[in-house]
Amino acid sequence: MRIGNGGDQGFETIARAAAEMARGDKLRPCYELSHEYSDRMPLSPFADAISLSYRPTHFIAGHAGNGETVSGQFGSQGTKIDALGHFGYLEDGEVRYFGGLTQREVKPSDQSPLLRLGTDEIPPIVTSAVLLDAKRLRGRSLSAGEQVTAEDLEAMLAAQRVRGLLAGDALLIHTGWGEKWAADNPEPARTEYYGAGPGLSREAAEYIAARDVVCIGMDVPFIDAVRTGYLRGTEGPPADAPADLPFVIHHQNLTQAGIYQVHNMHLGELAADEVYLSAVFILPLRIRGGSNSPVRPVAIGGPHRSPPG
C-alpha cells in the first residue's frame, strides 16, 4: 500500500522492458529524459529557488579536489518526481492521504518529515514505457490550459499503432510545452514555462488510473492544466476541476490512484524518433521523508514508425 502502483512492477514489467531494450537503436542506445540541472533553469513558483556555487580547487596531499554547493528547495525543482505524500486532501475536516492515511500518520508536525509515503518509499521504476505524442496529434504544441483528454489518449494509441496501456507501464506524454525550458532562452521564455501549461483532463486521469500505470511523466510543469492567468488569480481552474480541488489531477494521481508524477521531462527527442515503446529507468533519491526528488530518467528503445497505408 505504501508504494501505490509501484507494486505493479515485477518480472513481467521487467521482461517487457527488456524486450524494448533489445529493439533499441545501436546508434542511439539511450535517451536522456531529463533537463540539465542548473541555476539558469526555469524555477517553480511553488518552491524556494535554488542556487549553485562552485568551490575553488583545493589540494590534499598532492590531489586536487573540486566541489559545489546547492542551496534551496532542490527536490522540487527541475525534472522531478512527486512522492505520494506530496498531496493530501480534506475529508470531513480531516486531512487524508493515499490509502486513507491521516495527517498524524503522514506528517504529524510542521517540522516532521513524511513518516509515510515519502520519496524514501518510492521503488526504483524500471519498466516498459508508452510515449503518446499529443503534439503530433494536434499538429502543434499544446497551449496554456489545454487538456489532453481520454479521447485524445485513445486517438494517439490508434494513430501511433502501439498497444494499449498495461499495468505497471510508465506513461509518457509529449505536448511540446517543454520547448520553452531551454536554459539559454531569454528570461521571458524561461518565466513563461512555469507561468502556465497544458495538462491532463480529469477524465483522462481516470482513464489512466483504470489501467494501473506506475507513473505519468509529461514535459509540463504541473500535470494539471493551468491557464495563463490562474497563478495570478485572474483566471479559474479547468471547468472539470471541483472548486475545492483545483489541482484535481494531483489529487487523482497521488491520493486516489497511487500513480507517481514526473514533471518537466525532456521528451522531444524520444518523440521525434518515434520511440513509442521503450524501457525506462527512473530512480528517485532516497530522501528520508521527502515529498519530491530530482530524477534523471533514461529510456532505451527503437522507433515504432507506423507502416504506410
Side-chain angles (χ1 to χ4, degrees):
M1 178 60 74
R2 288 189 180 195
I3 63 173
N5 285 4
D8 288 329
Q9 296 183 108
F11 177 80
E12 183 176 352
T13 56
I14 292 173
R16 291 202 306 257
E20 296 307 326
M21 290 176 67
R23 296 183 68 258
D25 187 340
K26 293 181 180 179
L27 298 178
R28 183 65 182 273
C30 189
Y31 288 84
E32 291 278 3
L33 305 184
S34 65
H35 291 285
E36 182 182 76
Y37 201 92
S38 77
D39 54 6
R40 284 186 53 78
M41 67 187 184
L43 295 175
S44 169
F46 292 104
D48 295 341
I50 64 162
S51 65
L52 283 83
S53 58
Y54 298 92
R55 301 174 62 187
T57 300
H58 61 283
F59 298 90
I60 304 173
H63 297 281
N66 297 293
E68 57 282 323
T69 299
V70 181
S71 62
Q73 206 168 342
F74 78 102
S76 298
Q77 302 284 7
T79 304
K80 57 101 172 182
I81 192 169
D82 292 336
L84 299 182
H86 175 53
F87 248 58
Y89 62 100
L90 287 173
E91 182 178 80
D92 300 325
E94 299 287 337
V95 178
R96 297 284 179 180
Y97 294 86
F98 178 70
L101 295 175
T102 66
Q103 183 74 18
R104 180 176 294 277
E105 291 172 303
V106 174
K107 187 176 173 70
S109 69
D110 289 346
Q111 292 74 37
S112 172
L114 299 183
L115 304 183
R116 307 277 296 274
L117 308 179
T119 53
D120 49 321
E121 294 183 354
I122 302 176
I125 297 175
V126 179
T127 189
S128 47
V130 176
L131 172 74
L132 297 181
D133 194 349
K135 179 181 177 180
R136 182 180 292 256
L137 180 72
R138 293 277 198 274
R140 56 170 175 79
S141 295
L142 274 63
S143 58
E146 190 170 357
Q147 292 181 316
V148 176
T149 67
E151 184 177 354
D152 292 333
L153 297 176
E154 292 278 14
M156 287 184 281
L157 287 168
Q160 296 173 201
R161 302 187 185 185
V162 294
R163 63 165 173 77
L165 300 174
L166 302 177
D169 274 342
L171 173 59
L172 311 177
I173 300 178
H174 175 239
T175 70
W177 189 263
E179 295 163 9
K180 301 177 186 294
W181 178 275
D184 55 356
N185 279 346
E187 178 57 34
R190 290 192 286 131
T191 301
E192 181 185 8
Y193 177 85
Y194 258 116
L200 296 175
S201 73
R202 188 176 187 181
E203 182 185 36
E206 292 169 351
Y207 175 100
I208 293 165
R211 283 145 182 85
D212 295 326
V213 303
V214 65
C215 69
I216 169 76
M218 298 180 70
D219 57 342
V220 299
F222 304 118
I223 308 296
D224 288 82
V226 173
R227 298 170 179 166
T228 300
Y230 180 65
L231 300 184
R232 300 193 301 269
T234 59
E235 291 191 61
D240 59 356
D244 58 342
L245 289 170
F247 283 87
V248 69
I249 308 305
H250 272 66
H251 170 74
Q252 171 66 32
N253 287 337
L254 299 178
T255 75
Q256 303 301 301
I259 295 173
Y260 299 107
Q261 299 183 150
V262 185
H263 301 244
N264 311 319
M265 296 191 78
H266 171 61
L267 298 175
E269 293 174 348
L270 204 66
D273 287 354
E274 299 181 30
V275 182
Y276 298 143
L277 295 175
S278 65
V280 71
F281 301 80
I282 306 173
L283 305 179
L285 299 179
R286 297 180 68 189
I287 303 170
R288 183 173 183 179
S291 60
N292 310 95
S293 170
V295 288
R296 184 184 180 180
V298 297
I300 300 174
H304 281 72
R305 295 187 176 92
S306 301

